[in-house]
Amino acid sequence: MTTALRILPGLSCSCPRLPWAIHAPRLASGMALQKEGRQLFEEAVRVVLPGPMLHRALILEPGGLRVRDRSFQLHHNLYLVGFGKAVLGMAATVESLLGEHLVQGVISVPRGIRSAMECAGIQEMLLKPHSRIQVFEGAENNLPDRDAQRAALAIRDLAEGLSANDLLLVLISGGGSALLPAPIPPITLEEKQMLTKLLAARGATIQELNTIRKALSQLKGGGLARAAYPAQVVSLILSDVVGDPVDIIASGPTVASSHSVQDCLHILTQHGLRAALPRSVKTVLSRADSDPRGPPNCGHAFNVVIGSNTLALAEAQRRAEGMGYRALVLSSAVQGEVGRLARFYGLLTRAASARLSLLGEGGSARGEAEELLRGLEEELKLPDLQLEEVLKAVGEASGPVCLLAGGEPTVRLQGSGKGGRNQELALRVGMELSGVELGRCEVLFLSGGTDGQDGPTEAAGAWATAGLVGQAAAEGLDAAAFLARNDSHTFFRRFQGGSHLLLTGLTGTNVMDVHLLLLCPR
């Protein structure tokens, strides 16, 4: 089945539509790089939209449902719950495929996503007028709130009412943790929010955040699966976590937690928060290992990852090759602080452009950049980084090169500005490339969140070139000053009339971020 793809225009009908472009032959100009970078990002998003993924995952058979290699009986015994940024579209697809068997459903989705899809006229991501699925909207700016908590409790109540003959289909995507807050009493939502904010502000990874969330939640860490027992549980997961670990995505509501209280205490100590814990959190952690809720192993739950960053990068690679690039995937497991990653991408650009344009061949320019790059590679410890293979392939390329990566970096907050990790990374890469000799290469770096929302902003991300800092200075904008207060969005909004912002609106999916580095010999 072919699904028409449109990126949403944002949360207001006054926002402009941004149509999907038809690919044309490559042009060796700056405008062409901008256009092609955006097109490749959009193609990466296209392949992980809910409709195509679920049609690949769910096979309706006579009397049953097949998911991968497992079959399940269907006889008007289907219940559905879901939570995440892609779940509205996922639920709409399930309803169109399995609606005659659906008894009841409850989903928790980001505030405003229904109106955005209605505004865009994207019917395939909307539920039917008299749907059996109840929709809660909450978690504005990806932060748990009272509305999301009401949704979580409604999901818990549905799960607890199921019997052994029932089948619970659980739809999970990025943003699911914030949309499923049900703290274990006596912890309050405000206390859990405060702890999550403090961890994020101190640079905690998504894995660390979710480890803490699981320990403090009624539904995460396998809690939802245990609530649904003895019903059969099938979870369809759109991964927004490096490596696609099902126990970490949305904090693993249908997967038994492998983390202990000691793991939580280690994380809290590492980030200097153990001494400042509220009494309620200390109480819950002290009794966590003796929690009687069971069955503890969640053996009645079948978890399937149906979409990921790897899939998005593979599609972008295929499209780039069709546009005349030598396209190479560096890594789908990019993590770490954005400053270090920006340094990495800056050095990678220097090394790749030297090989591509023969700048400093056999001399210091190439050798110095590559030596520094390899040192930073060891420091970043990216598990699937293909650096040597990529550098070799770049040296053998006879035309433009597209280097692709994906993952979820972190930002250590130092100021009170407005931005997100993608815009900050793009600006920092622009800083790294300022004044650097790139030979005969034209360069563009783009970083975008596949959900269409980078932090609490309307942008998915931004793109930068080697001339960004100098051009900004000519407009009276000091890029370093904006970075010092984590104000990348304000910078890009002011710079050249906001033309370097990647504005897509909410996309209806989420598989972390996509990074594109385009190098084109002049």
Side-chain angles (χ1 to χ4, degrees), residues 104-281:
Q104 183 187 358
V106 178
I107 61 174
S108 179
V109 298
R111 188 181 313 284
I113 195 166
R114 277 191 299 182
S115 62
M117 294 188 180
E118 289 167 356
C119 176
I122 304 181
Q123 296 301 315
E124 63 267 25
M125 288 197 186
L126 291 169
L127 296 170
K128 295 176 180 177
H130 302 290
S131 174
R132 295 188 178 95
I133 301 172
Q134 183 180 9
V135 181
F136 288 83
E137 294 191 24
E140 192 166 5
N141 293 328
N142 205 33
L143 294 172
D145 55 21
R146 290 292 173 188
D147 290 328
Q149 186 174 29
R150 281 192 285 271
L153 296 179
I155 287 170
R156 183 200 63 187
D157 291 346
L158 184 151
E160 289 179 342
L162 300 180
S163 68
N165 294 323
D166 294 325
L167 174 63
L168 179 64
L169 191 61
V170 182
L171 307 178
I172 303 174
S173 75
S177 285
L179 287 158
L180 196 72
I184 299 172
I187 300 173
T188 66
L189 180 61
E190 290 75 17
E191 287 172 330
K192 191 174 178 184
Q193 285 175 316
M194 179 195 68
L195 183 56
T196 301
K197 287 179 182 178
L198 286 173
L199 282 165
R202 299 194 183 196
T205 66
I206 187 64
Q207 289 87 347
E208 290 174 331
L209 285 169
N210 284 356
T211 297
I212 299 299
R213 285 168 174 153
K214 286 190 296 183
L216 307 182
S217 173
Q218 298 179 56
L219 295 177
K220 294 162 185 172
L224 176 59
R226 290 192 293 270
Y229 185 81
Q232 177 70 56
V233 177
V234 176
S235 289
L236 303 179
I237 303 167
L238 179 60
S239 174
D240 70 328
V241 180
V242 167
D244 308 329
V246 293
D247 62 325
I248 293 292
I249 301 165
S251 304
T254 56
V255 185
S257 177
S258 60
H259 296 99
S260 67
V261 170
Q262 290 305 313
D263 294 326
C264 295
L265 294 176
H266 175 74
I267 292 168
L268 293 167
T269 301
Q270 183 178 359
H271 293 286
L273 294 173
R274 185 168 176 177
L277 291 179
R279 181 184 299 274
S280 60
V281 174

Side-chain angles (χ1 to χ4, degrees), residues 21-25 35-36 39-40 42-43 46 319-320 322-323:
I22 303 300
H23 293 316
K35 178 182 177 182
E36 290 170 351
Q39 287 178 345
L40 291 173
E42 291 171 347
E43 294 297 350
R46 183 194 300 268
R319 294 286 182 167
M323 295 161 71

Side-chain angles (χ1 to χ4, degrees), residues 71-89:
S71 293
F72 305 90
Q73 286 192 338
L74 274 183
H75 47 83
H76 309 289
N77 63 332
L78 179 65
Y79 293 80
L80 180 148
V81 297
F83 28 91
K85 295 178 180 179
V87 159
L88 184 60

